[in-house]
Amino acid sequence: MDLDMKYFEEMEDKIPVGKVRTRFAPSPTGYMHVGNLRTALYTWLIARNAGGTFILRIEDTDQGRLVEGATNVIYKTLAECGLDHDEGPDVGGPVAPYIQSERRDTYGKYARLLVEKGHAYYCFCEKTESEEDSGGFDRTDDPCRALSLEEAQARVEAGEPYVIRQRIPKEGATTFRDAIFGDITVENKTLDDQVLIKRDGMPTYNFANVIDDHLMGITHVVRGSEYLSSAPKYNLLYEGFGWTVPTYVHCSPVMRDAQNKMSKRHGDPSYEDLKEQGFLTEAILNYVALLGWSPRGDIAEQEVFSLEELAKAFDLAGMSKSPAIFDIEKLTHFNALYLRAMTPEDFARAAGSYIRMAVKDEGLSASEIAALLQARCERLAEIPEKVAFFQELPEYSADLFTNKKSKTNPEVSKAMLEAAIPMLEEIPSWTQEDIHGGLTALAERLEVKNATLMWPVRIAAAGQAVTPGGAVEICKILGREETLRRLKLGLEKLS
């Protein structure tokens, strides 16, 4: 089985060099969880901070886990988040293809090269995948490790099924360096001869990763700290091929609480879920960036960052070894800051569809309702519940008319509504100024505080104790006819 060395030389010649190259390499399983989004963000930030190249690669070697349409979820999420990739399946690039299943031939060739170099071997033992995964494989018992190359190749040519395994040195130790965790040394005898090429000819995740990272010129490999234990095996593969080892950046996990990692199985929210709950993409990204990284120097106290500011500020030295706890309250705080900072027009656009979920009547102005919400809303998904009273007056109890602070009770409220109804019937135009002017002048005439008049008007107009906006704004949006209808109903309740 002579190998065509020219093929490997040509592959080497294609590798881009000279600048930082990072990759985000998700499996298309249809779900972008928070940890995954953070990996994508950090990978993008490292590239952008260095003026480098950000690559999207789709890792679909585990065909059993693939989900229909999942690759589109990845494209859509990255695009929404502004994490633009310079190379990838949809945009092409100098080291295409960027989908692992389309690179299948490449892995087989490199595995055979590794066998020739003595760092891998053909294994003909019957092993189930579950035995492989449980690590229940003791290489000292593997008779195939001792086969001569000629013997093994003869069996391959005779059509015997096989896997290709990594040949881990029996003695000594392997040291690898991580940008966050520093030097880590592992004794070789604790590592297993992992499978590189499966019986069906598909590569394992661990092997495909190393080959692709090298051939795509990846300089910084960002992944979760759960891969720290595999890193020595990756190092030995790089060394076996005589390649330069990239900079490893292992991110500490994102936790639901002190004990548990976030996971889809436990119903922890994905990026899509957070969007549905009314969190803004910018707020999600800002919060996720700070789960495991903190700014230093002049900006150490800064909390709110745009994507551009993050790209400028991001450095590996600011990353933490400690697990980060995902706190929905903290994310809500960020979201509120972002909502308040929007222009009224942008907020009205973002809130519009949520308002219309509850307020179907097009005669009621969504932008006027939005103006009441901006300072009183933490998540867009809270909106329908807050504004449903505009569409329909809810059932409410006359007890709401009693309020100590406003000095109202049923008798006082009845008197206030009896005075307010004819005045509101008469005001010349239904503008906020006229409604406000009419009500404050009436309170003065009745010799009561403004609140004593406004409270019963607002309760009768909205039918609930807590509302976005006060009596004047609510009446204005409802219109004269509906306001008077509701105030008369309130008066009936009190009579």
Side-chain angles (χ1 to χ4, degrees):
M1 277 202 294
D2 288 334
L3 287 173
D4 173 11
M5 294 313 289
K6 198 162 165 291
Y7 169 81
F8 298 107
E9 285 158 22
E10 283 170 0
M11 293 298 275
E12 287 296 313
D13 289 342
K14 278 201 274 190
I15 299 172
V17 291
K19 58 182 189 175
V20 166
R21 288 172 64 81
T22 67
R23 51 75 172 169
F24 176 53
S27 297
T29 54
Y31 176 90
M32 181 79 86
H33 60 74
V34 170
N36 229 357
L37 179 62
R38 186 187 64 168
T39 302
L41 176 61
Y42 286 174
T43 311
W44 185 87
L45 289 172
I46 291 167
R48 292 294 173 257
N49 179 268
T53 303
F54 176 60
I55 296 156
L56 174 65
R57 183 171 81 218
I58 301 294
E59 303 207 332
D60 60 349
T61 52
D62 187 351
Q63 297 283 311
R65 290 179 61 219
L66 302 191
V67 174
E68 187 70 35
T71 306
N72 289 331
V73 172
I74 295 165
Y75 290 141
K76 181 171 168 277
T77 304
L78 292 179
E80 264 182 35
C81 294
L83 306 179
D84 53 320
H85 49 283
D86 307 299
E87 298 173 24
D90 54 338
V91 291
V95 286
Y98 294 89
I99 295 179
Q100 279 189 336
S101 57
E102 294 173 15
R103 300 171 65 82
R104 187 171 171 163
D105 290 352
T106 307
Y107 308 123
K109 291 188 173 86
Y110 277 92
R112 286 197 292 281
L113 178 62
L114 205 59
V115 170
E116 295 269 340
K117 287 174 171 281
H119 295 285
Y121 60 95
Y122 295 103
C123 174
F124 305 93
C125 302
E126 285 284 349
K127 277 280 166 190
T128 64
E129 283 206 20
S130 60
E131 278 178 285
E132 289 294 351
D133 293 343
S134 68
F137 194 92
D138 182 354
R139 64 160 174 266
T140 51
D141 297 344
D142 190 346
C144 303
R145 193 179 155 109
L147 291 174
S148 72
L149 187 53
E150 294 70 37
E151 223 179 319
Q153 285 184 341
R155 288 173 72 171
V156 168
E157 279 160 24
E160 218 178 305
Y162 65 88
V163 298
I164 296 181
R165 289 183 178 279
Q166 183 173 3
R167 188 189 295 275
I168 302 275
K170 289 187 175 178
E171 270 73 54
T174 298
T175 298
F176 69 93
R177 179 168 197 84
D178 180 81
I180 303 171
F181 290 89
D183 285 346
I184 296 179
T185 300
V186 179
E187 290 198 30
N188 290 334
K189 66 169 187 262
T190 64
L191 304 174
D192 64 321
D193 284 4
Q194 63 176 348
V195 173
L196 305 177
I197 298 287
K198 297 182 273 198
R199 285 180 169 238
D200 62 1
M202 281 298 260
T204 55
Y205 166 84
N206 286 328
F207 186 58
N209 242 312
V210 168
I211 301 301
D212 288 342
D213 285 344
H214 173 70
L215 295 179
M216 293 182 177
I218 302 303
T219 58
H220 293 68
V221 173
V222 184
R223 57 175 162 240
S225 57
E226 66 269 22
Y227 290 104
L228 275 170
S229 58
S230 306
K233 293 190 264 194
Y234 300 144
N235 256 38
L236 290 166
L237 287 172
Y238 281 104
E239 287 165 13
F241 283 116
W243 295 339
T244 306
V245 177
T247 299
Y248 293 127
V249 184
H250 286 89
C251 308
S252 52
V254 180
M255 311 286 283
R256 173 162 22 110
D257 51 44
Q259 280 76 41
N260 300 290
K261 278 180 69 170
M262 285 185 80
S263 79
K264 181 182 181 175
R265 274 205 309 279
H266 291 121
D268 288 316
S270 67
Y271 166 75
E272 291 288 326
D273 296 333
L274 292 172
K275 284 286 304 283
E276 256 172 53
Q277 290 166 26
F279 291 103
L280 298 171
T281 297
E282 298 80 2
I284 298 170
L285 279 177
N286 190 156
Y287 178 60
V288 165
L290 300 173
L291 287 174
W293 173 80
S294 43
R296 301 179 311 140
D298 300 345
I299 52 167
E301 299 304 309
Q302 189 174 329
E303 250 196 340
V304 176
F305 289 88
S306 68
L307 204 48
E308 291 67 37
E309 289 171 323
L310 281 172
K312 233 160 88 181
F314 194 80
D315 61 348
L316 293 177
M319 291 182 73
S320 164
K321 292 179 192 175
S322 311
I325 293 182
F326 179 82
D327 179 354
I328 203 89
E329 295 301 317
K330 187 84 173 128
L331 174 58
T332 303
H333 158 75
F334 271 98
N335 205 59
L337 293 178
Y338 273 85
L339 290 173
R340 312 273 187 277
M342 287 171 123
T343 65
E345 297 73 36
D346 284 347
F347 179 80
R349 263 194 296 279
S353 60
Y354 291 90
I355 291 170
R356 285 292 173 230
M357 282 178 198
V359 185
K360 308 276 190 234
D361 181 354
E362 296 285 339
L364 298 169
S365 161
S367 62
E368 286 182 20
I369 295 174
L372 305 185
L373 290 163
Q374 189 165 2
R376 300 175 175 87
C377 172
E378 294 188 319
R379 287 185 301 115
L380 294 169
E382 299 167 355
I383 290 175
E385 196 186 353
K386 285 182 187 285
V387 301
F389 72 87
F390 281 109
Q391 180 66 29
E392 197 174 334
L393 182 67
E395 276 300 319
Y396 67 98
S397 150
D399 297 346
L400 288 186
F401 285 106
T402 301
N403 182 272
K404 216 162 150 185
K405 207 170 146 212
S406 302
K407 297 192 167 55
T408 62
N409 57 29
E411 296 74 47
V412 172
S413 295
K414 180 170 180 279
M416 294 300 116
L417 290 180
E418 281 172 344
I421 291 167
M423 184 279 295
L424 289 170
E425 281 174 333
E426 296 305 318
I427 56 171
S429 63
W430 199 256
T431 61
Q432 213 155 298
E433 293 72 34
D434 280 8
I435 298 167
H436 182 264
L439 286 169
T440 49
L442 179 59
E444 204 175 319
R445 207 164 63 245
L446 297 171
E447 295 178 350
V448 294
K449 284 200 158 119
N450 284 346
T452 308
L453 175 60
M454 299 288 189
W455 181 273
V457 169
R458 187 176 64 84
I459 295 298
Q464 59 192 47
V466 180
T467 55
V472 174
E473 295 104 329
I474 292 169
C475 292
K476 161 68 182 75
I477 292 166
L478 285 171
R480 193 188 309 245
E481 195 181 322
E482 180 61 12
T483 298
L484 291 167
R485 184 185 80 82
R486 292 183 179 198
L487 265 50
K488 285 171 185 167
L489 285 172
L491 189 54
E492 277 172 34
K493 250 189 213 300
L494 292 164
S495 297

